[in-house]
């Protein structure tokens, strides 16, 4: 249990220190692996059953460590049992109950639809190898969605790849760009789950980013690299724009050198 809590403490504090989690901004969910799942065997439910807006049979019976709505990520380090909770889905994936946390009372993040629907996609696409999903508000990535005209998945992926030579290695499938959708909505949840089935990072216009990974470190790392690229990109724009940049040939060469499977359609 302590090890599991230490993981989320590290990730949430890193996010807060990076300035990605102002006030209650951002949320984290971790689908519990076999060992982590067993830690909560024998816990009696602390809440009634809450119906999910749609059934999610793909993640029926799963347990998740999820940050609480309205809670500050920077406070998880101090009071994990207040700011996070463990929920368990029923055997149909139609409702959940609280097993632990959100002391003295509380509820999972308002972005629960995006988290749980994305976990369905992630579990399937990675053959049950990926467990972490993070949503956060990194300043430079958000700024980029205002500063660049006519953004779409292709142009944003290319811009980030060109802004930092490591990007194509870390996210060779690119980033999916979602035009603005209301926070916390089922529409945003569905669009994010579809997007994350294609790529490991999803940008929410004017709002933030979502990332997935095998564990919290991998999800965090992907977001961190994208945010660094966005920072470089904005600095270059502020300095009068790029006078030269990585060519398609160079990007392809980096990907080939590190044996990364690039989404070639992003070059077309
Ligand atoms: P919660 O406090 O409900 O997690 O919401 C924060 C957020 O970032 C919404 O997009
Ligand atoms: Zn948000």
């Amino acid at each position: 249990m302590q090890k599991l809590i230490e993981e989320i403490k590290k990730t949430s504090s890193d996010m807060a220190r990076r300035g990605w989690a102002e006030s209650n901004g951002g949320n984290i969910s971790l689908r519990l692996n076999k060992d982590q799942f067993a830690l909560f065997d024998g816990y009696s439910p602390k809440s009634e059953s809450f119906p999910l807006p749609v059934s999610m049979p793909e993640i029926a019976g799963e347990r998740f460590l999820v940050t609480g709505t309205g809670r500050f990520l920077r406070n998880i380090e101090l009071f994990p049992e207040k700011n996070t909770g463990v929920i368990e889905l029923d055997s149909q994936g139609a409702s959940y109950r609280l097993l632990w946390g959100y002391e003295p009372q509380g509820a999972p993040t308002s972005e629960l639809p995006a988290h749980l629907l994305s976990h369905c996609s992630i579990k399937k696409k990675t053959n049950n190898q990926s467990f972490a999903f993070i949503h956060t508000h990194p300043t430079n990535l958000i700024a980029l969605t205002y500063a660049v005209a006519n953004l779409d998945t292709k142009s944003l992926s290319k811009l980030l790849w060109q802004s930092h030579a490591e990007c194509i290695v870390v996210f060779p499938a690119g980033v999916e760009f979602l035009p603005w959708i209301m926070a916390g909505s089922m529409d945003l949840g569905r669009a994010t789950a579809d997007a994350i089935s294609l790529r490991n990072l999803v940008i929410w216009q004017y709002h933030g980013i979502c990332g997935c990974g095998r564990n919290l470190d991998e999800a965090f790392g992907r977001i961190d690299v994208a945010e660094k690229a966005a920072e470089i990109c904005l600095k270059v724009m502020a300095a009068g724009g790029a006078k030269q940049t990585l060519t398609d040939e160079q990007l392809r060469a980096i990907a080939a050198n590190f044996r990364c499977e690039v989404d070639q359609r992003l070059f077309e």
Side-chain angles (χ1 to χ4, degrees):
M1 175 90 160
Q2 200 51 37
K3 201 162 158 251
L4 173 65
I5 299 301
E6 288 306 320
E7 277 180 45
I8 197 160
K9 277 192 192 175
K10 174 170 168 258
T11 304
S12 52
S13 316
D14 275 353
M15 288 164 68
R17 275 186 215 108
R18 290 267 203 300
W20 302 355
E22 72 291 346
S23 177
N24 65 311
N27 22 76
I28 303 171
S29 63
L30 184 68
R31 184 163 63 88
L32 302 190
N33 65 28
K34 228 168 114 215
D35 294 341
Q36 295 162 338
F37 186 101
L39 294 171
F40 297 91
D41 285 350
Y43 276 58
S44 21
K46 282 183 60 181
S47 78
E48 56 185 292
S49 274
F50 298 103
L52 291 168
V54 288
S55 276
M56 303 181 204
E58 300 89 339
I59 51 169
E62 298 270 11
R63 292 174 184 164
F64 295 86
L65 177 62
V66 189
T67 56
T69 185
R71 304 288 161 90
F72 292 14
L73 294 195
R74 61 195 286 270
N75 288 340
I76 291 176
E77 197 173 26
L78 299 172
F79 307 110
E81 68 291 349
K82 183 172 173 208
N83 298 294
T84 69
V86 172
I87 61 167
E88 178 181 73
L89 269 60
D90 67 24
S91 59
Q92 317 292 312
S95 69
Y96 72 86
R97 296 183 304 188
L98 180 64
L99 294 183
W100 175 90
Y102 305 139
E103 296 287 350
Q105 56 195 16
T109 173
S110 57
E111 300 291 1
L112 196 64
H115 282 259
L116 293 184
L117 289 167
S118 294
H119 276 290
C120 296
S121 301
I122 297 160
K123 186 177 175 185
K124 191 167 163 214
K125 85 163 174 177
T126 64
N127 205 8
N128 200 15
Q129 297 302 305
S130 274
F131 295 84
F133 183 87
I134 295 175
H135 158 60
T136 186
H137 300 171
T139 313
N140 296 288
L141 279 163
I142 297 171
L144 211 55
T145 71
Y146 289 87
V148 180
N150 304 319
L151 273 183
D152 58 16
T153 293
K154 214 155 112 175
S155 57
L156 183 55
S157 297
K158 192 86 175 286
L159 192 58
L160 294 175
W161 284 351
Q162 287 175 322
S163 297
H164 178 357
E166 292 294 297
C167 282
I168 200 160
V169 179
V170 176
F171 45 94
V175 296
E176 188 78 8
F177 175 75
L178 289 186
W180 182 86
I181 305 175
M182 181 58 73
S185 66
M186 268 304 279
D187 284 350
L188 182 58
R190 283 203 187 90
T192 304
D194 288 348
I196 211 128
S197 67
L198 304 171
R199 311 179 207 281
N200 294 319
L201 293 171
V202 183
I203 309 287
W204 290 354
Q205 188 178 31
Y206 315 139
H207 181 161
I209 187 171
C210 297
C212 66
R214 281 168 295 182
N215 47 44
L216 289 174
D217 263 352
E218 188 173 61
F220 179 92
R222 284 174 171 153
I223 295 171
D224 204 14
V225 173
E227 168 62 1
K228 177 78 180 262
E231 183 179 354
I232 295 167
C233 184
L234 288 173
K235 288 203 161 126
V236 170
M237 285 165 68
K243 309 298 182 294
Q244 56 275 318
T245 190
L246 283 160
T247 63
D248 286 3
E249 204 187 344
Q250 287 169 329
L251 287 172
R252 284 196 167 105
I254 299 170
N257 186 53
F258 291 96
R259 294 186 178 79
C260 301
E261 217 175 296
V262 174
D263 182 349
Q264 295 294 339
R265 288 165 307 181
L266 298 174
F267 282 112
E268 285 159 13

